[in-house]
Amino acid sequence: MPGANESARVWDPAQRILHWGLVVAVALAWWAGEERLSLHIAVGYVVISIVAARTAWGLFGSRYARFSDFVRGPRAVFDYARQIVRRREQRYLGHNPLGGWMIVALLLCLAVVCTSGFLYTTDYFWGMGWLEQTHRISAWTLVVLIGLHLAGVIFTSLRHRENLVRAMFSGHKPVADLRDTAE
Ligand code: HEM
Ligand code: HEM
């Protein structure tokens, strides 16, 4: 049985570097926008690369990085949501069922943002209104998802009295009370 102060290595270095790299690159892409288009496109390529790398890592990476570890079926997601309402949800070392789908949603949305942005830079698609709209709408959808992502991180950190942001830097999470539910 693990001791009260024992911690486990959960997030591997690649996950952590890719996560914080993604945060910086997405923030820069927003800041650059249309006014600094060459910077926007350059960091956009960084975003594409990180999304591709994280997706590959989801298939071949370490235990908690894999999609198979955190993408769960509708019943598990529904049960988890119901447990939250009853304040009895279990604590997960990896991503919880709702957080897992949020990650899939973030990666998919980023893929749409980047693909539409990239296509818009090609001669064939340049100037096509629907593509510009797709890029704009998906970029704003991304903002909403990021807001929900942050709300989820704050909520879960408060509920289980642990600092999930710090864990995304250190890679470590306490193992004590793993199956515990919030009172
Ligand atoms: C996370 C990544 C990205 C975000 C958040 C983002 C966001 C945005 C936003 C908000 C705009 C202004 C849209 C408007 O109001 O019309 C824009 C414009 C643009 N973006 Fe991105 N973008 C991203 C990645 C990319 C990538 C990867 C490319 C290309 C390789 C790209 C190419 C463009 C182009 C060409 C425009 C100008 C469109 C126009 O002339 O109206 N973007 N982007
Ligand atoms: C551009 C904005 C952001 C995007 C696109 C994003 C995306 C993601 C992704 C894809 C993951 C999964 C990481 C993995 O499994 O490798 C994740 C997890 C996480 N993110 Fe973000 N993130 C963003 C901003 C932030 C910010 C600003 C914070 C904190 C201040 C944050 C805190 C976390 C934490 C704590 C986790 C782990 C959640 C858990 O414990 O299950 N994220 N994020």
Side-chain angles (χ1 to χ4, degrees), residues 25-26 29-30 33-34 37 40-41 43-45 47-48 110 113-121 126 132 135-136 139-140 142:
V26 170
W30 259 106
E34 272 177 286
L37 198 52
H40 180 81
I41 293 173
V43 285
Y45 278 114
V47 175
I48 296 177
L110 281 162
V113 172
C114 290
T115 307
S116 56
F118 165 71
L119 289 179
Y120 197 71
T121 61
W126 182 254
E132 193 187 358
H135 192 57
R136 187 188 321 207
W140 280 104
L142 181 66

Side-chain angles (χ1 to χ4, degrees), residues 81-161:
R82 212 173 38 190
Q83 287 162 13
I84 287 182
V85 175
R86 295 180 181 162
R87 303 177 64 86
R88 296 184 61 82
E89 78 281 5
Q90 85 172 56
R91 178 180 167 246
Y92 282 79
L93 258 195
H95 300 300
N96 68 48
L98 281 177
W101 278 104
M102 176 51 76
I103 288 158
V104 173
L106 283 164
L107 292 175
L108 281 176
C109 187
L110 281 162
V112 175
V113 172
C114 290
T115 307
S116 56
F118 165 71
L119 289 179
Y120 197 71
T121 61
T122 61
D123 287 343
Y124 186 80
F125 287 105
W126 182 254
M128 292 204 179
W130 64 270
L131 200 57
E132 193 187 358
Q133 280 285 78
T134 305
H135 192 57
R136 187 188 321 207
I137 292 170
S138 56
W140 280 104
T141 305
L142 181 66
V143 171
V144 173
L145 290 178
I146 291 170
L148 291 172
H149 169 55
L150 294 180
V153 167
I154 293 168
F155 175 84
T156 312
S157 296
L158 292 174
R159 192 78 147 217
H160 295 292
R161 297 190 200 92

